[in-house]
């Protein structure tokens, strides 16, 4: 059974054959096909038999259907490519946004390493100097305390010995 791809009907219904004759009846939409068949018959210098006519018409319709399927496939591929390009564009913008964030983070790190570390180092140096001064004052205070204690002991001994 051969199917007419234009009408979806059985090809024998679309192209009824006159049994025993070389003539075929065509539907109204097949005028161009009829001209092509007549041109082919003229080129080969003989009329086509009924099977050849059905085969040619059906083969053309199959080619049209195949082209339509290929067109649908190409449209789907185009749609997929458009989606892919959209994803690439989104990814590219995300990378650029991330690049800006990375530059901002890099500036903060540079600020921390240059300003804060330098400030911290000077603060630690000042703290060390301050601690050294406190230790020095502490030693002096302890020394003065020992001298006062020795002076008090000496005064007590002198007073006790004089009595």
């Amino acid at each position: 059974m051969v199917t007419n791809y234009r009408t979806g009907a059985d090809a024998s219904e679309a192209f009824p054959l006159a049994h025993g004759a070389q003539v075929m009846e065509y539907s109204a939409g097949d005028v161009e096909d009829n001209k092509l068949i007549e041109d082919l018959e003229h080129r080969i210098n003989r009329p086509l038999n009924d099977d050849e006519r059905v085969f040619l018409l059906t083969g053309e319709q199959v080619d049209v259907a195949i082209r339509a399927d290929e067109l649908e496939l190409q449209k789907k591929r185009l749609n997929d490519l458009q989606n892919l390009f959209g994803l690439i564009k989104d990814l590219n913008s995300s990378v650029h946004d991330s690049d800006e964030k990375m530059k901002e983070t890099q500036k903060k790190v540079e600020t921390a390493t240059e300003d804060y570390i330098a400030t911290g180092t000077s603060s630690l140096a000042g703290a060390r100097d301050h601690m050294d001064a406190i230790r020095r004052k502490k030693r002096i205070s302890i020394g003065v305390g020992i001298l006062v204690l020795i002076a008090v002991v000496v005064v007590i001994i002198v007073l006790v010995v004089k009595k």
Side-chain angles (χ1 to χ4, degrees):
M1 173 193 225
V2 180
T3 304
N4 182 331
Y5 284 97
R6 287 187 191 151
T7 63
D10 182 17
S12 60
E13 293 173 10
F15 306 107
L17 302 177
H19 294 286
Q22 295 287 336
V23 179
M24 277 179 91
E25 295 179 25
Y26 298 102
S27 63
D30 295 327
V31 173
E32 291 178 18
D33 293 339
N34 193 20
K35 289 179 184 178
L36 291 173
I37 290 174
E38 288 175 4
D39 185 45
L40 182 63
E41 288 176 338
H42 181 70
R43 286 183 185 179
I44 61 172
N45 293 326
R46 71 170 177 85
L48 295 174
N49 64 30
D50 295 336
D51 291 336
E52 290 173 334
R53 285 177 180 250
V54 171
F55 178 76
L56 285 175
L57 293 174
T58 306
E60 251 181 57
Q61 293 163 352
V62 168
D63 288 342
V64 168
I66 288 173
R67 283 187 213 121
D69 290 341
E70 288 174 353
L71 182 63
E72 285 298 318
L73 183 62
Q74 290 299 327
K75 285 180 182 178
K76 184 177 183 269
R77 285 182 185 164
L78 179 62
N79 190 22
D80 290 345
L81 281 175
Q82 287 173 338
N83 291 339
L84 181 63
F85 286 136
L87 290 173
I88 289 172
K89 187 177 180 181
D90 291 344
L91 180 63
N92 193 17
S93 66
S94 295
V95 167
H96 287 296
D97 291 344
S98 296
D99 189 41
E100 292 298 321
K101 289 178 183 177
M102 284 181 70
K103 286 180 181 179
E104 182 180 327
T105 303
Q106 183 180 7
K107 286 180 183 178
K108 288 181 180 179
V109 168
E110 287 174 0
T111 301
T113 56
E114 293 172 2
D115 296 342
Y116 300 141
I117 291 177
T119 304
T121 302
S122 65
S123 295
L124 287 175
R128 185 181 62 226
D129 293 342
H130 186 65
M131 284 299 295
D132 289 343
I134 290 175
R135 285 184 190 131
R136 205 171 325 132
K137 289 176 186 176
K138 191 177 181 184
R139 280 188 236 130
I140 291 172
S141 298
I142 291 174
V144 169
I146 291 175
L147 287 176
V148 169
L149 186 60
I150 291 175
V152 170
V153 171
V154 169
V155 170
I156 292 180
I157 292 179
V158 170
L159 288 177
V160 170
V161 172
K162 277 189 173 181
K163 270 193 187 184

